[in-house]
Amino acid sequence: MSNALPTTDKKPLNQPLGGDVVPRFAGIATMMRLPFQETSDGLDACFVGVPFDLGTSNRSGARFGPRQVRSESVLLRPYNMATRAAPFDSLQVADIGDVATNAYNIFDSIDRIETAYDAIIANGCRPITIGGDHTIAWPILRAMHKRYGPIGVVHVDAHADVNDTMGGEKIAHGTPFRRAVEEGLLDCQRVVQIGLRGTGYHADDFDWCRQQGFRVVQAEECWHKSLAPLMKEVIERVAGPSGDAPVYLSFDIDGLDPSFAPGTGTPEIGGLTVQQGLEIIRGLRGLNLVGADIVEISPPYDPQGTTALVGANLAYEMLCVMPGVAYRS
């Protein structure tokens, strides 16, 4: 599959709306106050919301994640001062709104998400998804597999999300990567999980992942250190022999410690710092990143909006490492 980006036919590139043009507290809340359009046609990358939390097991509320992340994104500016990435200089980007999930039927919602992503990525657009609980990764990976074949995954999370069932059900936010393995959606030798920790039901909860070929980096391996050296290893692993194999990033906000991101359904202590989260995302530069998500942000458990603010910034950082992004010298 070609790594080429779709052309924009010299159409002027969309830009986030600046605070000097319209006050940041005014206007319609799109991601970074970008233009809204209904489809991904003509876009190199897009932001899309999936307001879904029927798969949650503890605290619900992730259905409100996309709206709150967009609200907190108003402070983001187009140029990345740290990395010199200037994504809006070279990519056509827009907010394409939300997938219309079914609040009463998890099975119908899964079908709707998969169908929506079939269309979103059909022309090569690279979606950055704002969830929603982690169940949504499964239908997204289904769509990705149809276009790209088995893909590599960088999965940041407190939990492995490889349960066979939860409460006797096969579809839940703790099962998406088990289902993805069973369906052959992943190139398991190119899957890395970072930040796993906490208590479990069985000693082999994380070992199942290792048995499939995943590289598992438990949170304890990340304490008190920069993750830049780790990301060099990750790049070598997930890029594949060709160096440009397709890779998907799935970032559960509970991969971060709840002191940084309390607004989530299943918080676990001893997690990653915000700085380490940035190192992980920035460390993916140069990969053939075909899509990404930020999930499990539950605004009702963080009235100050801190978790959504972190999520908005991480989503922007994901855009900054998409193929084709310009960097200013």
Side-chain angles (χ1 to χ4, degrees):
M1 184 62 62
S2 172
N3 190 19
L5 289 164
T7 63
T8 58
D9 296 323
K10 297 184 179 180
K11 179 182 177 182
L13 297 177
N14 296 334
Q15 298 292 323
L17 187 61
D20 292 335
V21 179
V22 174
R24 297 189 185 281
F25 50 81
I28 305 278
T30 60
M31 184 65 185
M32 295 185 69
R33 307 206 298 174
L34 284 162
F36 165 78
Q37 68 178 58
E38 293 185 351
T39 73
S40 64
D41 291 350
L43 300 180
D44 301 318
C46 69
F47 292 102
V48 55
V50 183
F52 170 92
D53 61 9
L54 294 181
T56 53
S57 59
N58 186 40
R59 306 192 303 198
S60 59
R63 66 180 62 187
F64 303 114
R67 179 170 293 180
Q68 188 66 29
V69 168
R70 288 183 172 109
S71 293
E72 298 297 339
S73 76
V74 299
L75 195 58
L76 291 169
R77 303 168 185 87
Y79 176 59
N80 192 318
M81 300 296 292
T83 67
R84 296 183 178 269
F88 304 104
D89 286 1
S90 55
L91 300 183
Q92 186 69 296
V93 188
D95 187 325
I96 64 169
D98 290 344
V99 175
T101 56
N102 184 339
Y104 306 100
N105 189 313
I106 193 169
F107 303 102
D108 183 43
S109 290
I110 293 299
D111 289 343
R112 290 182 182 210
I113 295 167
E114 181 179 349
T115 299
Y117 278 78
D118 286 341
I120 290 169
I121 67 176
N123 294 321
C125 180
R126 300 168 193 255
I128 300 170
T129 301
I130 308 164
D133 75 52
H134 221 153
T135 313
I136 70 173
W138 177 40
I140 294 172
L141 289 170
R142 279 180 154 182
M144 292 287 175
H145 179 265
K146 280 181 273 187
R147 178 169 176 82
Y148 299 105
I151 65 173
V153 171
V154 177
H155 172 206
V156 181
D157 206 324
H159 313 96
D161 291 352
V162 294
N163 295 312
D164 186 25
T165 61
M166 296 185 73
E169 298 297 327
K170 292 279 192 178
I171 303 175
H173 71 160
T175 69
F177 296 101
R178 172 76 70 124
R179 302 285 86 83
V181 169
E182 292 172 345
E183 295 185 359
L185 308 181
L186 309 181
D187 180 348
C188 291
Q189 300 300 316
R190 295 195 300 113
V191 176
V192 179
Q193 296 180 304
I194 305 172
L196 306 191
R197 62 188 187 278
T199 55
Y201 292 105
H202 307 284
D204 65 349
D205 278 355
F206 300 162
D207 289 341
W208 186 90
C209 307
R210 296 183 174 100
Q211 292 162 6
Q212 311 314 306
F214 296 6
R215 168 73 162 97
V216 176
V217 183
Q218 292 185 220
E220 292 79 5
E221 298 179 50
C222 303
W223 289 354
H224 315 302
K225 66 177 70 171
S226 167
L227 298 189
L230 169 67
M231 294 315 297
K232 292 180 181 179
E233 174 195 338
V234 170
I235 285 277
E236 291 178 1
R237 187 180 188 98
V238 302
S242 65
D244 66 350
V247 179
Y248 185 83
L249 169 63
S250 191
F251 199 120
D252 188 325
I253 201 69
D254 71 29
L256 303 182
D257 189 83
S259 61
F260 299 103
T264 191
T266 49
E268 304 280 2
I269 67 167
L272 305 175
T273 67
V274 170
Q275 290 89 339
Q276 289 174 322
L278 292 172
E279 286 182 317
I280 290 170
I281 297 172
R282 292 173 181 176
L284 300 179
R285 180 181 173 185
L287 288 177
N288 180 14
L289 200 63
V290 296
D293 65 53
I294 181 78
V295 298
E296 298 283 357
I297 295 170
S298 184
Y301 292 94
D302 183 6
Q304 285 72 37
T306 302
T307 308
L309 176 66
V310 172
N313 277 269
L314 295 181
Y316 168 70
E317 293 282 345
M318 293 171 185
L319 176 65
C320 288
V321 295
M322 287 289 170
V325 168
Y327 285 80
R328 296 182 185 174
S329 59

